[in-house]
């Protein structure tokens, strides 16, 4: 059983063969955090905590004068009764106070992992995969139970945490803050790392030393956002891509979030992540329960690379769901950058004809097929086909595409409504708004109020009709603005601050229903590119449009940064025209293909207008992609050279058996008179002989990893190279000392 409760020590030990997490019950009341990291056998856990009375740290236990909550490393700390650090939660009771006294009541250890009601979460397929402990604290005055849920996976170095508040008392309370996890580290010499950006520049890596006081990242946009990602990591100072302790936490949630860090005066570090408490109040009535989203905690002793691989395995196999989870994805063509809104059926057919001839497998019709949508000023909400553009309807186009041997995909932006739409004219109160206030538009649109059940029902029915209307195999689910005037006409005044979270619950319900109803549809989430690239969305839609920026050079950083948490199989990547529409850069076609081939390959360009030579190049690249796309989708990622550190970028994917690998190498700007350079590979079997690019010559894995692969000298900007690595049949080298 990987969760032990030791009655005499009063210690919970959650472990698998590689990691441990230790919690101690102190004075029979308080949950103290003892340890999280590499697997340990602890014989004397009760000696880990040292009580040391500190001036100005209040004395919480009259019987233990040195004990103070202010210095205790805790599991779910409160504010107001001695601990002056950042609390994990805050409740406001009917008498106006925010003081609580939650103390240990009971616990239950169960096989498996219970799902979270109404929220996405990591799952199991068999109860033997994980164990869960729910520790219940109770505030007897309020009659509220606080359930701290911890799951440890057997085969993933992951602990999943969440919290629920169960109201068994008699007076209504307000939840002002309820983080999904809080962890107190016993030291403070950390760097912290997060992913920042904006539209077309998502998930750039930022690493900096943690300093005294508080640091945080957050989104109040009603979406996880382009600007920050619901992920943060603490890294030991000497940690690198390969070595050192790294602690990563990721929130399975797509709305407002906050991650905060605080170093205390005694050099301990508190980390928390959860729903953003800013502008959030949840009213909890007697008999009701509030469930927080889930946070995934990853510990890696193998630096950032180890952390990423753990996240990748878990997200790929136990967060993503559906029939496409274990399948490589079809190569697609999307008409957006080829036509924008200005297409006719004839134009689309020409694109489809060329695409089919080159080996493309899926045709995606993007924005502009419905209502009177010829630009972004109207028609969101009017989900009926524009017969002027598509006289034979979606079904006619889909049939044509089908006859070409391709599958058909469709773009929708269901969460939105244009003020200039039939839907808005009929239901002006169906959008998020605050009565008598301006309704701020963004991209000329408003957001449907998915906190309302009637709006969700309408949306599910409408989309069901659209998806049944034609043979649709793929849906791109877009979302092109963030929330303003966050209020709902259907909620009473005291519940207005619940709107943003209720919206997410409504959206998740819609997605659950539709993905269940249409299991054959591959859903790709999108929010102006990667504005909602988070584990919550991946639970429903197993891939995300990574960024609207399709420039190959920009994409190196975006895809590299994204790979810190998210596996390649979750990233959409397209080859687009040059000069690039976002940055105006001209890069060669092979480089554009190679960058996109490091994820789910797609094309988004005037493919019918390519020269014969370029068409042949596209065909060649597609054929080559088929040889290794399983490695990209299901292999282990090793990042070798970072685009954030120079002109060279390299990464590789290695098969689970380590008998095949693919190495991607890119040089953005050429260097005059450059040094000779060897690229040290990783993740191979040192004892195995490998061939490179089908050549006769064989190299040992050790040779490729220790001495490296000689790179050609290239006198050209924007060059790229792929290396196919394959084990020579059954060759195991019996070399002394190599293991
Ligand atoms: C934003 C998306 O990211 C683009 O790919 C495209 O679908 C447009 N929206 C369409 O409006």
């Amino acid at each position: 059983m990987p969760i032990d409760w030791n009655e005499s020590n009063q210690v919970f030990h959650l472990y698998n063969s590689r990691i441990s997490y230790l919690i101690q019950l102190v004075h029979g009341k308080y949950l103290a955090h003892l340890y999280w990291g590499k697997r340990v056998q602890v014989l004397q856990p009760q000696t880990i905590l040292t009580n040391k009375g500190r001036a100005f740290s209040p004395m919480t236990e009259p019987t233990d004068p040195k004990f103070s909550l202010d210095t205790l490393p805790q599991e779910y700390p409160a504010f107001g009764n001695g601990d002056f650090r950042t609390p994990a939660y805050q409740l406001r009771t009917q008498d106006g106070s925010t003081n609580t006294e939650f103390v240990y009541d009971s616990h239950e250890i169960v096989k498996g992992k219970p799902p979270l009601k109404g929220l996405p979460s990591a799952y199991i397929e068999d109860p033997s995969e994980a164990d869960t402990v729910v520790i219940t604290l109770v505030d007897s005055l309020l009659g509220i139970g606080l359930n701290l849920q911890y799951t440890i996976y057997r085969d993933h170095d992951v602990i999943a945490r969440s919290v629920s508040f169960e109201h068994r008392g008699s007076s209504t309370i307000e939840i002002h803050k309820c983080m999904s996890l809080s962890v107190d580290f016993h030291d403070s010499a950390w760097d912290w790392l997060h992913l920042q950006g904006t539209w077309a520049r998502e998930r750039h890596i930022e690493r900096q030393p943690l300093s005294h006081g508080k640091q945080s990242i957050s989104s109040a946009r009603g979406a996880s956002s382009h600007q920050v990602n619901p992920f943060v990591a603490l890294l030991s100072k000497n940690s690198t891509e390969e070595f050192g302790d790294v602690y990563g936490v990721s929130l399975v949630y797509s709305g407002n979030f906050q991650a905060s860090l605080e170093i205390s005066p005694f050099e301990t570090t508190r980390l928390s992540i959860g729903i953003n408490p800013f502008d959030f109040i949840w009213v909890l009535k007697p008999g009701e329960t509030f469930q927080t989203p889930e946070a995934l905690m990853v510990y890696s002793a193998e630096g950032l690379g180890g952390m990423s691989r753990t996240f990748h395995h878990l997200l790929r196999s136990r967060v993503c769901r559906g029939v496409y989870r274990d399948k490589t994805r079809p190569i697609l063509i999307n008409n957006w950058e080829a036509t924008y809104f200005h297409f006719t059926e004839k134009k689309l057919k020409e694109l489809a004809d060329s695409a089919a001839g080159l080996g493309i497998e899926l045709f995606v019709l993007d924005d502009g097929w419905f209502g009177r949508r010829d630009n972004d000023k109207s028609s969101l909400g009017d989900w009926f086909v524009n017969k002027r553009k598509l006289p034979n309807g979606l079904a006619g186009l889909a049939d044509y595409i089908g006859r070409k041997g391709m599958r058909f995909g469709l773009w929708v932006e269901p969460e939105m409504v244009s003020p200039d739409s039939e839907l808005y004219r009929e239901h002006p109160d169906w959008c998020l708004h605050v009565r008598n206030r301006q309704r701020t538009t963004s991209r000329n649109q408003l957001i449907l109020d998915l906190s309302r059940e009637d709006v969700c029902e309408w949306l599910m029915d409408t989309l069901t009709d659209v998806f049944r209307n034609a043979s649709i195999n793929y849906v791109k689910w877009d979302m092109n603005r963030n929330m303003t005037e966050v209020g709902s006409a259907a909620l009473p005044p005291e519940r207005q601050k619940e709107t943003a979270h209720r919206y997410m619950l409504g959206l998740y319900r819609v997605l659950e229903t539709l993905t269940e109803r249409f299991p054959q549809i591959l859903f790709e989430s999108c929010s102006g590119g990667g504005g909602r690239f988070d584990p919550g969305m991946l639970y429903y839609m197993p891939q995300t449009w990574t960024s609207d920026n399709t420039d190959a050079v920009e994409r190196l950083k975006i895809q590299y940064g994204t790979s810190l948490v998210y596996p390649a199989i979750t990233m959409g990547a397209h080859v687009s025209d040059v000069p690039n529409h976002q940055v105006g850069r001209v890069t060669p076609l092979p480089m554009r293909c190679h960058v996109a081939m490091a994820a789910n390959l797609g094309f988004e360009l005037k493919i019918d207008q390519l020269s014969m030579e370029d068409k042949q190049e596209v065909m060649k690249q597609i054929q080559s992609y088929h040889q290794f796309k399983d490695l990209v989708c299901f292999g282990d990622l090793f990042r070798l050279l970072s685009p954030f550190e120079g002109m060279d970028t390299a990464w590789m994917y290695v098969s689970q058996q380590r008998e095949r690998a693919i190495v991607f190498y890119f040089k953005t700007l050429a260097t005059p008179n450059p040094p000779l350079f060897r690229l040290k590979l990783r993740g191979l079997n040192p004892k195995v002989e490998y061939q490179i690019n089908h050549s006769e010559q064989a190299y040992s894995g050790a040779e490729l990893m220790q001495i490296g692969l000689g790179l050609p000298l290239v006198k050209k900007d924007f060059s790229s190279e792929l290396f196919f690595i394959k084990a020579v049949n059954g060759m195991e080298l019996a070399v002394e000392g190599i293991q």
Side-chain angles (χ1 to χ4, degrees):
M1 188 70 144
I3 299 183
D4 290 338
W5 160 242
N6 186 326
E7 183 79 48
S8 62
N9 288 334
Q10 300 274 287
V11 168
F12 293 95
H13 187 183
L14 289 69
Y15 60 90
N16 62 25
S17 58
R18 295 160 310 274
I19 60 166
S20 286
Y21 191 97
L22 290 159
I23 303 167
Q24 186 180 358
L25 181 59
V26 180
H27 289 305
K29 295 181 182 169
Y30 311 107
L31 282 184
H33 177 73
L34 293 189
Y35 175 77
W36 172 28
K38 206 179 258 181
R39 171 72 202 269
V40 279
Q41 298 281 0
V42 199
L43 301 179
Q44 303 297 336
Q46 74 284 6
T47 62
I48 296 175
L49 295 178
T50 312
N51 265 359
K52 170 93 185 72
R54 302 281 187 179
F56 284 85
S57 286
M59 194 179 94
T60 324
E61 277 294 305
T63 56
D64 185 351
K66 285 185 180 164
F67 178 86
S68 174
L69 289 174
D70 197 27
T71 51
L72 185 73
Q74 296 188 64
E75 283 296 318
Y76 205 66
F79 182 78
N81 49 358
D83 187 347
F84 296 111
R85 294 165 292 176
T86 311
Y89 69 96
Q90 190 163 45
L91 311 182
R92 187 174 186 276
T93 59
Q94 249 186 3
D95 60 7
S97 153
T98 52
N99 262 69
T100 55
E101 278 175 33
F102 281 99
V103 294
Y104 171 82
D105 177 73
S106 57
H107 72 264
E108 192 186 4
I109 298 173
V110 294
K111 272 238 139 311
K113 180 176 192 295
L116 303 191
K117 199 163 165 266
L119 283 164
S121 59
Y123 60 91
I124 48 165
E125 291 196 329
D126 185 279
S128 66
E129 290 179 14
D131 284 70
T132 298
V133 59
V134 181
I135 307 175
T136 300
L137 314 179
V138 168
D139 182 310
S140 51
L141 195 63
L142 295 173
I144 294 178
L146 177 48
N147 305 313
L148 302 179
Q149 181 166 317
Y150 302 77
T151 297
I152 180 152
Y153 276 87
R154 184 192 56 204
D155 299 329
H156 303 275
D157 296 348
V158 176
I159 290 168
R161 276 187 69 175
S162 66
V163 177
S164 65
F165 292 85
E166 226 178 298
H167 198 337
R168 299 185 287 258
S170 53
S171 62
T172 299
I173 59 139
E174 290 173 355
I175 302 175
H176 286 220
K177 179 176 186 179
C178 52
M179 303 314 270
S180 297
L181 71 76
S182 180
V183 188
D184 281 339
F185 293 82
H186 296 243
D187 33 29
S188 65
W190 300 105
D191 283 349
W192 70 294
L193 180 149
H194 68 103
L195 302 172
Q196 59 81 28
T198 181
W199 174 79
R201 190 162 27 86
E202 296 93 336
R203 289 171 298 286
H204 279 213
I205 297 172
E206 193 160 285
R207 176 177 178 167
Q208 58 209 308
L210 196 61
S211 50
H212 286 96
K214 296 180 189 180
Q215 284 118 102
S216 69
I217 51 164
S218 62
S219 166
R221 293 171 168 267
S224 47
S225 88
H226 299 89
Q227 286 71 13
V228 274
N229 197 258
F231 155 78
V232 69
L234 278 184
L235 300 87
S236 56
K237 290 280 181 193
N238 59 356
S239 68
T240 62
E241 190 55 36
E242 279 173 88
F243 305 108
D245 289 330
V246 176
Y247 295 85
V249 298
S250 163
L251 191 67
V252 189
Y253 191 58
S254 316
N256 296 336
F257 78 93
Q258 184 192 68
S260 71
L261 294 144
E262 182 182 4
I263 297 187
S264 79
F266 304 112
E267 304 301 336
T268 63
T269 303
R270 177 165 289 175
L271 161 68
S272 66
I273 193 165
I275 291 178
N276 191 348
F278 171 71
D279 212 30
F280 166 86
I281 300 172
W282 191 274
V283 177
L284 197 67
K285 293 206 168 355
E288 291 178 347
T289 296
F290 181 84
Q291 172 68 59
T292 71
E294 178 169 275
L296 303 171
M297 310 168 69
V298 169
Y299 165 71
S300 159
E302 290 167 19
L304 275 173
M307 178 203 75
S308 298
R309 287 185 290 279
T310 301
F311 272 124
H312 293 178
H313 279 267
L314 189 86
L315 293 176
R316 199 160 59 200
S317 64
R318 292 294 178 266
V319 172
C320 291
R321 300 177 299 165
V323 295
Y324 291 93
R325 186 189 72 181
D326 302 327
K327 289 187 180 159
T328 58
R329 310 289 158 75
I331 300 170
L332 64 81
I333 173 99
N334 177 304
N335 73 307
W336 180 242
E337 287 199 7
T339 65
Y340 293 104
F341 294 102
H342 313 294
F343 56 82
T344 57
E345 190 182 81
K346 182 167 166 285
K347 180 77 236 163
L348 297 177
K349 284 179 175 172
E350 280 162 14
L351 286 174
D353 293 347
S354 299
L358 300 177
I360 291 174
E361 301 158 316
L362 167 72
F363 182 95
V364 181
L365 173 57
D366 211 279
D367 197 353
W369 59 266
F370 52 94
R372 291 176 293 102
R373 183 110 166 141
D374 290 325
N375 51 44
D376 62 16
K377 294 195 170 56
S378 82
S379 302
L380 291 169
D382 297 345
W383 298 110
F384 43 83
V385 76
N386 180 330
K387 286 275 186 174
R388 186 176 44 82
K389 285 181 173 172
L390 299 175
N392 298 300
L394 287 176
L397 182 65
D399 288 350
Y400 181 85
I401 304 287
R403 286 199 295 281
K404 290 273 145 192
M406 284 189 293
R407 286 177 266 174
F408 179 65
L410 190 68
W411 176 97
V412 285
E413 195 180 353
E415 299 162 61
M416 300 291 153
V417 59
S418 307
D420 181 8
S421 66
E422 289 180 21
L423 180 68
Y424 189 71
R425 284 184 278 275
E426 210 174 307
H427 296 288
D429 59 342
W430 271 18
C431 64
L432 292 179
H433 67 280
V434 174
R435 197 179 310 160
N436 298 329
R437 295 284 176 198
Q438 170 184 309
R439 297 176 183 196
T440 307
T441 56
S442 176
R443 211 194 188 209
N444 308 302
Q445 59 203 52
L446 297 164
I447 304 184
L448 282 179
D449 180 1
L450 297 190
S451 75
R452 292 174 65 140
E453 265 188 38
D454 52 353
V455 179
C456 291
E457 290 300 326
W458 169 85
L459 192 54
M460 288 187 284
D461 290 348
T462 305
L463 290 176
T464 299
D465 283 350
V466 175
F467 298 161
R468 288 214 173 115
N469 202 276
S471 170
I472 293 173
N473 295 108
Y474 162 105
V475 162
K476 178 177 173 187
W477 182 293
D478 207 348
M479 195 279 275
N480 283 304
R481 64 158 292 177
N482 292 141
M483 292 181 184
T484 53
E485 293 89 30
V486 189
S488 171
L491 289 172
E494 69 277 14
R495 289 201 182 270
Q496 287 297 321
K497 293 291 143 199
E498 298 176 6
T499 309
H501 181 59
R502 283 187 181 275
Y503 179 96
M504 293 318 307
L505 297 177
L507 173 62
Y508 289 148
R509 188 165 75 86
V510 169
L511 288 171
E512 183 71 31
T513 308
L514 291 171
T515 49
E516 227 172 64
R517 228 173 249 177
F518 296 97
Q520 85 287 359
I521 293 182
L522 169 59
F523 283 86
E524 173 165 299
S525 81
C526 170
S527 172
R532 221 168 37 183
F533 205 138
D534 59 64
M537 279 294 131
L538 289 177
Y539 183 73
Y540 304 99
M541 307 194 252
Q543 60 187 59
T544 303
W545 177 224
T546 313
S547 176
D548 273 350
N549 193 338
T550 52
D551 171 64
V553 176
E554 289 296 308
R555 271 291 183 130
L556 290 176
K557 284 187 178 158
I558 295 169
Q559 291 176 204
Y560 189 99
T562 304
S563 82
L564 250 57
V565 182
Y566 306 98
I569 195 172
T570 63
M571 296 184 215
H574 297 177
V575 177
S576 61
D577 270 323
V578 287
N580 174 266
H581 293 198
Q582 290 76 37
V583 294
R585 188 178 284 124
V586 177
T587 49
L589 184 56
M591 184 196 190
R592 280 178 275 149
C593 289
H594 291 162
V595 173
M597 283 153 77
N600 293 318
L601 173 65
F603 292 82
E604 189 169 333
L605 74 180
K606 294 183 176 125
I607 203 148
D608 52 328
Q609 289 173 30
L610 288 182
S611 66
M612 231 18 233
E613 198 188 328
D614 280 353
K615 280 188 177 161
Q616 265 156 12
E617 182 66 32
V618 165
M619 247 157 62
K620 190 180 104 193
Q621 296 294 350
I622 287 179
Q623 275 158 15
S624 147
Y625 184 61
H626 284 298
Q627 307 306 310
F628 64 79
K629 65 178 182 179
D630 61 317
L631 288 174
V632 171
C633 290
F634 306 111
D636 279 339
L637 171 73
F638 292 85
R639 289 178 294 256
L640 308 175
L641 297 170
S642 167
F644 294 97
E645 287 164 15
M647 294 297 166
D648 301 281
T649 301
W651 56 65
M652 63 189 288
Y653 301 95
V654 183
S655 67
Q656 299 301 324
Q657 303 304 321
R658 298 195 288 173
E659 87 289 9
R660 282 167 66 226
I662 174 88
V663 180
F664 291 75
Y665 170 71
F666 306 95
K667 187 165 201 75
T668 44
L669 295 185
T671 321
N673 200 12
L676 289 168
F677 181 65
R678 299 189 75 83
L679 183 65
K680 290 185 181 168
L681 307 190
R682 291 217 291 275
L684 301 175
N685 183 338
K687 289 192 201 164
V688 162
E689 276 189 36
Y690 294 93
Q691 282 173 327
I692 300 168
N693 293 343
H694 315 292
S695 79
E696 283 296 295
Q697 216 140 25
Y699 303 82
S700 72
E703 206 172 341
L704 292 171
M705 293 192 289
Q706 302 304 126
I707 302 171
L709 186 68
L711 290 177
L713 284 179
V714 193
K715 228 186 203 173
K716 198 163 63 146
D717 290 346
F718 312 128
S719 61
S720 59
E721 197 88 43
L722 302 187
F723 299 95
F724 302 84
I725 315 280
K726 193 165 183 271
V728 178
N729 281 345
M731 286 302 291
E732 273 263 329
L733 293 169
V735 183
E736 232 19 37
I738 294 186
Q739 44 201 296

